[in-house]
Amino acid sequence: MGRILVVNAGSSSLKTALFDGAKRVFEIDVLEISGAARIKVIDGEDKSEEKLSVVDHHHALALALDRYSDLGAPAHKIDGAGHRIVHGAKRVFEIDVLEISGAARIKVIDGE
């Protein structure tokens, strides 16, 4: 199945988890983006947290990918990625693969 990076970008956070098949290998969260942020790394039973300055979500993702690389999971060894999208209004209410048509549906839903 390979390594899959799962991303959940909130308004002020970026939460990620790396799975190898069905097993969660690492979890990295960047909390309180836009200022004095915290990055939390969970490697099995080991947990660490540090404070740092994070400009925006792009910066938070770059930091998370750097940490995954430090943990032995560089981006080029990640086989796929998924992003959690919460709001589907009345049209999208089940798990779905987001392709071009799905992205168009989200734009329509956003305008409802």
Side-chain angles (χ1 to χ4, degrees):
M1 183 176 225
R3 288 185 165 183
I4 305 296
L5 179 66
V6 178
V7 179
N8 182 5
S11 60
S12 64
S13 66
L14 181 80
K15 296 180 178 183
T16 66
L18 184 66
F19 289 83
D20 193 350
K23 181 183 177 196
R24 183 186 312 232
V25 182
F26 305 115
E27 184 177 328
I28 298 177
D29 299 339
V30 182
L31 309 168
E32 301 167 31
I33 294 174
S34 295
R38 295 176 292 131
I39 186 165
K40 182 171 63 171
V41 178
I42 301 172
D43 176 3
E45 297 295 318
D46 296 331
K47 297 178 184 180
S48 65
E49 188 172 311
E50 65 180 281
K51 292 182 180 182
L52 63 161
S53 179
V54 179
V55 179
D56 57 20
H57 283 77
H58 290 99
H59 186 206
L61 181 59
L63 288 168
L65 290 173
D66 284 347
R67 292 302 192 284
Y68 280 118
S69 187
D70 294 344
L71 294 166
H76 71 274
K77 290 192 176 183
I78 296 173
D79 300 305
H83 191 290
R84 180 174 181 242
I85 299 173
V86 177
H87 185 18
K90 295 177 183 175
R91 294 184 188 179
V92 182
F93 51 87
E94 295 177 352
I95 295 172
D96 193 8
V97 174
L98 182 65
E99 296 175 1
I100 299 298
S101 61
R105 282 193 317 216
I106 288 174
K107 287 183 180 181
V108 169
I109 291 167
D110 190 43
E112 289 181 348

